[in-house]
Amino acid sequence: MAEIKVERSHDQQLLVPEEDNVSSTRRSLAGNRQRLVSLDIFRGLTVALMILVDDAGGDWPVIAHAPWEGCNLADFVMPFFLFIVGVSIALSLKRISNKFEACKKVGFRTCKLLFWGLILQGGFSHAPDELSYGVDVTKLRFCGILQRIALSYLVVALVEIFTKDSHEENLLTGRFSIFKSYYWHWIVGASVLVIYLATLYGTYVPDWEFVVNDKDSVLYGKIQSVPCGVRGKLNPPCNAVGYVDRQVLGIHHMYHHPAWKRSKACTNDSPYDGSLRQDAPSWCLAPFEPEGILSSISAIISTIIGVHFGHIVLHLKGHSARLKHWISTGLVLLTLGLTLHFTHLMPLNKQLYSFSYICVTSGAAALVFSSLYSLVDILGWKHMFLPLKWIGMNAMLVYVMGAEGILAGFFNGWYYRHPQNTLINWIREHVFIRVWHSRRVGVLMYVIFAEILFWGLVTGVFHRFKIYWKL
């Protein structure tokens, strides 16, 4: 996923090492442009986190998506992807001087992202748990992870292409010169934020109804009403994000298993999945789109911040100068986001993709990226991160086959007498859960070793033979 994609070594150009700070073994690389290895590793780390939280989050809710407000480990995955997309845009598009060719490349890649998004998360694929495929088009889910990445990629890439002539390759000296040089990016970011906030707080949300789609519920097929009649609320049933999606997408085309079902208002087993409380409000059974229209518009800002970090790579040649800018920016974003959250001005909320959430997750991405850059591109500690590097260089393959369960679904199709008697289930139960005498620990070990490390080794073999799934 990286743009959710694999970029060849000539697509992410970097590094003229800082002569005063590198050893003689790396000094010989001066003058030769190198791949930004830390970005590959960051991409691989994010894909690995996605697999971890998706497949172990049910047993470890502390790493799963927060039911509503708050920010767990899973809630960092999407912003990290968007941040990486932004860095990749800055590094890859700088080499394409022809605007038409650049637009054609961006448009084609956006279409591929949308196509795979609809196939994998629109409801067509039921892998890995169900041995079937196909979707009722009247219930096709329009939004998803790849669709959100496609929108952010398209908007920010076009801004990058059409404002290329408005700044110079080498910036003038000055503390804020790089912000001034790329002012169009920040104008777009500010416009996106104004549109988001104005819609979020200014839209009137009326009462609404839905038909229960959960076949396990005694209310299946019945119409439920949700009272609202408010403006500017950020609670689950009456926020403008959900209202916009219901009006534009249609309630049947939204996600039917939102994280809020694990909230205390909905189940006594919170934060685990559990049966519905008897006094649970009606909206606990309603759909909600976590990658919806308004929240995806807000998510563009995460990619703009990533592009800014890519511009730092292009214009600041010294390692210390880059790190100083990155770390200070990351700390400012973290401070701003946490201040907004703890003063209750705007809570951290992944489902709404709130501005405080953007700041905190982008600040975290900045610090993680800076740390990896220091360890890998400066100190040269690449070998300890090789599995993550290989995953990052073949991220689309791992996302489709691993994170979306296509390979697991294939193996589950070969079972012994009963669909539950599969090789994967046997390995998880007998090699991990029974050995550790704990389902929670066994599942965690299974995901780490039988999924993440497995894909690290597979992509390592693919890397050896230069096989990459490009998007």
Side-chain angles (χ1 to χ4, degrees), residues 26 37 41 371-386:
R26 291 191 293 279
V37 180
I41 293 172
S371 300
L372 292 174
Y373 180 83
S374 300
L375 294 172
V376 176
D377 291 305
I378 298 178
L379 298 178
W381 296 0
K382 301 177 182 179
H383 295 292
M384 64 186 295
F385 298 105
L386 276 179

Side-chain angles (χ1 to χ4, degrees), residues 71-383:
C71 199
N72 294 349
L73 183 62
D75 299 310
F76 287 91
V77 172
M78 173 58 79
F80 279 11
F81 276 132
L82 295 174
F83 178 92
I84 293 167
V85 168
V87 178
S88 300
I89 287 172
L91 300 184
S92 61
L93 291 182
K94 75 181 182 67
R95 300 180 62 252
I96 306 176
S97 57
N98 187 297
K99 290 184 179 180
F100 176 76
E101 289 298 321
C103 289
K104 186 168 68 173
K105 175 182 177 181
V106 168
F108 188 46
R109 184 165 291 156
T110 300
C111 290
K112 289 191 288 185
L113 282 165
L114 292 172
F115 170 78
W116 281 109
L118 288 174
I119 292 294
L120 295 171
Q121 292 196 301
F124 181 83
S125 171
H126 303 166
D129 299 322
E130 297 183 25
L131 304 180
S132 62
Y133 62 89
V135 60
D136 179 354
V137 293
T138 64
K139 299 180 180 179
L140 176 70
R141 184 187 175 196
F142 291 143
C143 298
I145 294 171
L146 295 184
Q147 294 93 313
R148 171 170 285 177
I149 290 176
L151 175 64
S152 294
Y153 172 69
L154 176 65
V155 172
V156 179
L158 290 178
V159 173
E160 184 78 359
I161 291 169
F162 287 104
T163 62
K164 213 169 189 180
D165 298 333
S166 65
H167 52 78
E168 299 176 350
E169 183 69 14
N170 297 308
L171 299 181
L172 299 174
T173 58
R175 181 175 299 179
F176 301 106
S177 58
I178 194 164
F179 293 98
K180 295 176 182 178
S181 182
Y182 292 93
Y183 65 91
W184 274 113
H185 295 73
W186 301 112
I187 290 175
V188 171
S191 301
V192 165
L193 182 60
V194 168
I195 292 171
Y196 170 77
L197 293 177
T199 307
L200 183 68
Y201 289 105
T203 301
Y204 176 79
V205 181
D207 299 346
W208 53 284
E209 296 179 340
F210 68 97
V211 177
V212 177
N213 194 55
D214 185 359
K215 294 182 179 180
D216 296 327
S217 173
V218 295
L219 299 175
Y220 175 69
K222 295 183 178 179
I223 298 176
Q224 297 292 297
S225 299
V226 181
C228 286
V230 295
R231 192 188 310 271
K233 290 291 185 180
L234 303 184
N235 57 12
C238 300
N239 61 81
V241 171
Y243 174 71
V244 170
D245 291 334
R246 291 191 295 272
Q247 296 301 114
V248 178
L249 301 175
I251 199 165
H252 296 296
H253 297 283
M254 295 167 61
Y255 186 54
H256 288 275
H257 306 284
W260 71 32
K261 289 188 175 183
R262 294 187 287 106
S263 66
K264 292 180 179 179
C266 296
T267 177
N268 289 321
D269 298 317
S270 179
Y272 293 91
D273 283 316
S275 58
L276 207 64
R277 293 174 48 159
Q278 291 186 350
D279 60 345
S282 58
W283 54 261
C284 288
L285 291 168
F288 181 83
E289 183 51 70
E291 278 83 38
I293 295 172
L294 186 59
S295 56
S296 291
I297 291 174
S298 174
I300 293 171
I301 301 174
S302 294
T303 307
I304 291 176
I305 293 172
V307 165
H308 174 70
F309 276 66
H311 293 156
I312 296 298
V313 175
L314 299 178
H315 294 292
L316 300 185
K317 301 305 180 183
H319 294 314
S320 61
R322 291 172 178 173
L323 287 173
K324 182 179 179 181
H325 189 100
W326 287 342
I327 293 173
S328 60
T329 302
L331 291 175
V332 168
L333 288 170
L334 270 175
T335 302
L336 176 59
L338 292 174
T339 300
L340 290 172
H341 176 72
F342 287 109
T343 57
H344 306 289
L345 292 175
M346 181 174 289
L348 291 171
N349 194 308
K350 188 266 181 187
Q351 316 298 323
L352 303 179
Y353 219 95
S354 62
F355 181 60
S356 58
Y357 171 75
I358 294 172
C359 292
V360 168
T361 53
S362 297
L367 298 182
V368 172
F369 182 45
S370 300
S371 300
L372 292 174
Y373 180 83
S374 300
L375 294 172
V376 176
D377 291 305
I378 298 178
L379 298 178
W381 296 0
K382 301 177 182 179
H383 295 292

